[in-house]
Amino acid sequence: MRHELHTERELKMTPQRSPHNPSAAKKALAAAAATALLLFGVDSSARAAEARPFYAGKTLTIVVGLPPGGGGDAYARLVQRYFSQRIPGRPAVAVQNLPGAGSLKAVMYLNTTAPADGTVLATFSSALISEALTAPARVQADFRSYSWIGNVSEDVRVCYVWGASGVKNWQDMFAPRQKELFMGATARGTAGTADTAMLQNLFGVKLRQVQGYSGSADKRLAVERREIDGDCGGWTQMPEDWLRDKKINVVVRLSPTLVAGMDASVPFGGDLVKTPRDRQLYDFLVAPERLGRLFMVSSKVPPDRVTTLRTAFDAMVADPAFRAEALRIKLLVTPMTGAEVARRIAELYATPADVIARAKTIVGE
């Protein structure tokens, strides 16, 4: 009897479980179904968001630390046209020129106010890398700390003189002359300024640097206007008519790399130095030019996005369409991976202190 009463009391306390209350049971089932649908919807949305690539719908900005019209700008715009195709999500790609302080402005922007989510890359004058060692007070950047995406090409550089100046070859650079030889210069930290300083202070060429030009394109105009006699610059940026019509005489190659159209009889600077110690110094001074057209992101960018960008970059520089376009516009492609760039920069930072001290005297620090 007690058991029966207890059971009856339990039934009275839990009417929703009674088979005699079909309305309540239907409501419970409907509520459970609604909850399941809601949870399924939330889970589906989460999975869809997870599957959507980070770069989908975003804009990737390439900040160029140099003015328009030069080699650094030309390479950035070539990358702009092909990079997105290789990045999951295919973001829009924009180029923003941010010159200043020999391209240091763009480098500093990357680790200060630029978004650190992988949507901003920078390319700059690679001469800043050696200057970070010879003039650390001015270039307060440790290039080992950046995340390197890759290098499109070394910067094959030459020094040249306008044909009407009377200088025909390297030997003529040392010949007595009535008029001084004037070469263009931009800000410290740019390759052209470092190159002409090397002509003066390592090789002993008597010349005068004319300061104040905004970039290599500005200096080429100055050469044609005869404001200056010559310059040191990237081979790929030499105007076609200058070479075809022999308007200039290339007097020295700063890189050992011979490219199409280059006269193999023009001496390589590394072969002109007199001692192994001078060759070590020369190699340090031109090392940034061998690194060339670099692209990097902030050290704060998440590693998985660095990997995404590196993978896309490597695929881009191997793309036959990319290489054909580079050939058409006369841009050299000799790529390095981001990991290789990082290794070479670490080697540069391991340069002996006495070599760095001598380099300071060469570039005038």
Side-chain angles (χ1 to χ4, degrees):
M1 177 69 72
R2 288 180 182 176
H3 177 72
E4 290 174 359
L5 290 173
H6 180 70
T7 303
E8 184 179 353
R9 189 180 297 114
E10 285 182 342
L11 289 171
K12 288 179 180 178
M13 292 175 64
T14 57
Q16 71 277 12
R17 301 165 85 181
S18 170
H20 303 293
N21 194 349
S23 176
K26 287 180 180 179
K27 289 180 180 178
L29 285 171
T35 301
L37 284 171
L38 178 63
L39 291 174
F40 178 77
V42 170
D43 182 61
S44 297
S45 298
R47 279 183 288 147
E50 185 178 343
R52 180 179 170 84
F54 168 78
Y55 287 100
K58 292 184 170 59
T59 296
L60 187 68
T61 301
I62 302 174
V63 175
V64 184
L66 299 157
D73 182 69
Y75 275 97
R77 294 181 189 279
L78 174 63
V79 170
Q80 177 190 23
R81 295 193 288 274
Y82 288 88
F83 199 24
S84 176
Q85 302 169 22
R86 300 293 180 169
I87 301 173
R90 296 182 65 120
V93 180
V95 170
Q96 177 187 351
N97 293 88
L98 190 64
S103 77
L104 181 60
K105 184 177 179 180
V107 170
M108 300 308 293
Y109 168 72
L110 202 59
N111 260 1
T112 52
T113 56
D117 58 356
T119 59
V120 178
L121 289 83
T123 184
F124 59 101
S125 172
S126 55
L128 275 180
I129 300 172
S130 58
E131 197 172 4
L133 297 169
T134 59
R138 192 184 83 80
V139 183
Q140 297 182 19
D142 186 340
F143 286 97
R144 293 170 296 184
S145 68
Y146 289 86
S147 294
W148 296 97
I149 303 307
N151 169 25
V152 179
S153 176
E154 66 176 296
D155 184 12
V156 177
R157 300 181 65 79
V158 298
C159 296
Y160 64 88
V161 180
W162 193 250
S165 67
V167 175
K168 295 182 174 60
N169 50 44
W170 180 247
Q171 290 73 25
D172 286 347
M173 296 287 281
F174 300 90
R177 51 182 167 267
Q178 295 179 339
K179 181 178 174 292
E180 276 188 299
L181 194 65
F182 292 92
M183 304 284 275
T186 53
R188 285 187 176 184
T190 56
T193 299
D195 293 341
T196 51
M198 186 166 58
L199 291 183
Q200 285 179 291
N201 302 318
L202 179 61
F203 293 108
V205 175
K206 292 183 180 179
L207 59 86
R208 181 178 295 185
Q209 284 192 338
V210 180
Q211 305 285 338
Y213 295 102
S214 63
S216 56
D218 197 19
K219 288 187 287 182
R220 288 195 297 271
L221 287 174
V223 169
E224 290 195 322
R225 291 193 299 258
R226 298 305 313 279
E227 295 174 6
I228 54 179
D229 296 303
D231 188 31
C232 297
W235 173 258
T236 58
Q237 296 305 299
M238 294 296 109
E240 188 174 343
D241 64 305
W242 283 14
L243 302 173
R244 183 191 64 235
D245 301 335
K246 301 188 184 303
K247 292 182 178 181
I248 61 169
N249 294 317
V250 177
V251 295
V252 64
R253 296 182 290 115
L254 300 177
S255 166
T257 303
L258 276 169
V259 297
M262 189 178 284
D263 185 352
S265 68
V266 174
F268 164 52
D271 294 335
L272 297 172
V273 294
K274 298 176 181 177
T275 67
R277 187 165 176 260
D278 283 349
R279 179 58 188 264
Q280 186 180 26
L281 175 62
Y282 180 86
D283 289 342
F284 171 80
L285 290 169
V286 301
E289 298 170 15
R290 303 301 301 276
L291 287 166
R293 309 304 184 178
L294 298 166
F295 290 80
M296 66 182 184
V297 296
S298 166
S299 58
K300 303 170 188 174
V301 173
D304 61 320
R305 289 176 201 161
V306 173
T307 299
T308 295
L309 292 173
R310 282 183 169 186
T311 302
F313 187 91
D314 293 345
M316 176 192 69
V317 294
D319 182 355
F322 176 88
R323 288 181 172 252
E325 172 73 1
L327 182 64
R328 185 184 68 79
I329 59 177
K330 296 182 171 56
L331 293 181
L332 188 65
V333 178
T334 56
M336 293 181 196
T337 65
E340 186 178 0
V341 171
R343 178 180 62 78
R344 293 202 180 196
I345 287 175
E347 291 172 354
L348 197 59
Y349 271 78
T351 301
D354 65 311
V355 175
I356 294 174
R358 287 193 68 206
K360 286 182 182 181
T361 66
I362 297 298
V363 296
E365 298 294 351

